[in-house]
Amino acid sequence: AIKLVKMWYFKNVENERLEKERLKAELEVLKGQLNPHFMFNTLNSIYALALKKSDYTPEAIIKLSQLMRYVLTDCNATAIDLSKEIQVLNDYIALEKNRFGDRLEITVNIQGAINDKMIAPLLLLPFVENSFKHGTSEVIEQPWISMDLRVSDDTLNFKLINAKAKSDVTPIRSPSVGLSNVKKRLALLYPQGYNLSLTEDEDTYIASLMLQLGNIKSPTA
């Protein structure tokens, strides 16, 4: 009986170790797919500014270098400061605002205590990327995006709403690699701590995320 108990115990320990290694490997693969996708979109934004010979191009390049530093260094951790993630969102939005100019109307509302909070890196950015990708199409007469981020205690509520083309217009859409990956990362890192809702109607697309910041699952825990 003692021998069987020992075998059962060591088998459980080995299974837990293999599960942690699997989780870590899957997260690394997802990060590897997400980061180049993010850089590609940002470079496209700067390229558009350069074509217009915008005076903002040098500042945009500086912002890109800051974003690259964030991706290559800070994002190696399982969790980073929420304030850093929000700064990345603001930098990316600034790049896109200067790309589209007065044609785009965007509102950003951030409320609550964001300091001393942790979040998985690059978790929110794919939603913002997706809003710009599909909410600023040339077929939309008056493109607009609304971002609302609220932190209460240890709960983050994040909502993005953007305009979309009328139903009689069918622009070609490529699959959103970033958005697909963030769904997988949410399931791996916050299995019991998130609620994601993606809805749309004739005029708008809405992404709504509720996240329990303290419920992150570490692959090495």
Side-chain angles (χ1 to χ4, degrees):
I2 294 175
K3 185 177 180 180
L4 288 174
V5 170
K6 283 184 177 180
M7 289 176 61
W8 174 83
Y9 171 77
F10 286 118
K11 185 176 181 180
N12 278 356
V13 170
E14 179 65 11
N15 287 340
E16 288 181 6
R17 184 185 68 81
L18 292 174
E19 175 63 17
K20 289 173 183 177
E21 290 183 358
R22 182 194 66 81
L23 174 60
K24 186 175 181 180
E26 288 188 15
L27 287 171
E28 289 301 320
V29 170
L30 291 174
K31 278 186 180 180
Q33 292 174 345
L34 177 62
N35 294 352
H37 176 259
F38 158 66
M39 289 301 178
F40 179 77
N41 283 353
T42 309
L43 283 171
N44 271 347
S45 297
I46 294 179
Y47 178 67
L49 290 171
L51 286 178
K52 295 189 296 184
K53 302 187 186 310
S54 170
D55 293 337
Y56 179 72
T57 303
E59 184 177 345
I61 293 173
I62 291 175
K63 285 189 178 297
L64 176 60
S65 68
Q66 293 171 342
L67 292 172
M68 288 179 66
R69 186 180 300 111
Y70 175 77
V71 168
L72 295 175
T73 58
D74 295 346
C75 290
N76 291 327
T78 302
I80 48 91
D81 290 339
L82 176 60
S83 59
K84 286 186 177 181
E85 181 81 356
I86 292 175
Q87 183 58 51
V88 168
L89 297 183
N90 287 331
D91 287 344
Y92 184 82
I93 289 171
L95 284 170
E96 294 287 28
K97 282 175 65 176
N98 280 278
R99 174 185 172 190
F100 290 100
D102 295 336
R103 179 173 171 268
L104 171 68
E105 179 183 345
I106 181 166
T107 59
V108 177
N109 179 38
I110 298 174
Q111 295 185 5
I114 63 173
N115 295 320
D116 300 321
K117 304 290 184 183
M118 304 294 285
I119 190 173
L122 293 176
L123 197 63
L124 303 179
L125 184 62
F127 295 105
V128 178
E129 284 186 281
N130 196 65
S131 286
F132 276 101
K133 182 178 180 181
H134 299 307
T136 54
S137 169
E138 293 294 339
V139 300
I140 301 177
E141 294 182 2
Q142 294 181 319
W144 57 269
I145 296 174
S146 173
M147 185 182 93
D148 187 82
L149 187 153
R150 301 170 187 266
V151 178
S152 177
D153 295 327
D154 209 33
T155 301
L156 180 145
N157 285 286
F158 181 71
K159 179 178 284 188
L160 267 171
I161 310 174
N162 61 263
K164 55 174 283 192
K166 297 291 183 180
S167 57
D168 58 339
V169 181
T170 55
I172 298 175
R173 290 191 177 190
S174 59
S176 175
V177 176
L179 201 56
S180 174
N181 283 358
V182 80
K183 291 179 183 178
K184 296 176 183 177
R185 292 183 69 212
L186 279 168
L188 289 169
L189 290 170
Y190 298 90
Q192 306 297 327
Y194 81 98
N195 182 42
L196 176 62
S197 171
L198 302 175
T199 59
E200 61 181 311
D201 56 28
E202 184 178 353
D203 301 310
T204 60
Y205 185 89
I206 303 173
S208 181
L209 173 66
M210 185 283 294
L211 193 65
Q212 297 292 336
L213 296 172
N215 281 2
I216 188 168
K217 179 179 180 181
S218 172
T220 57

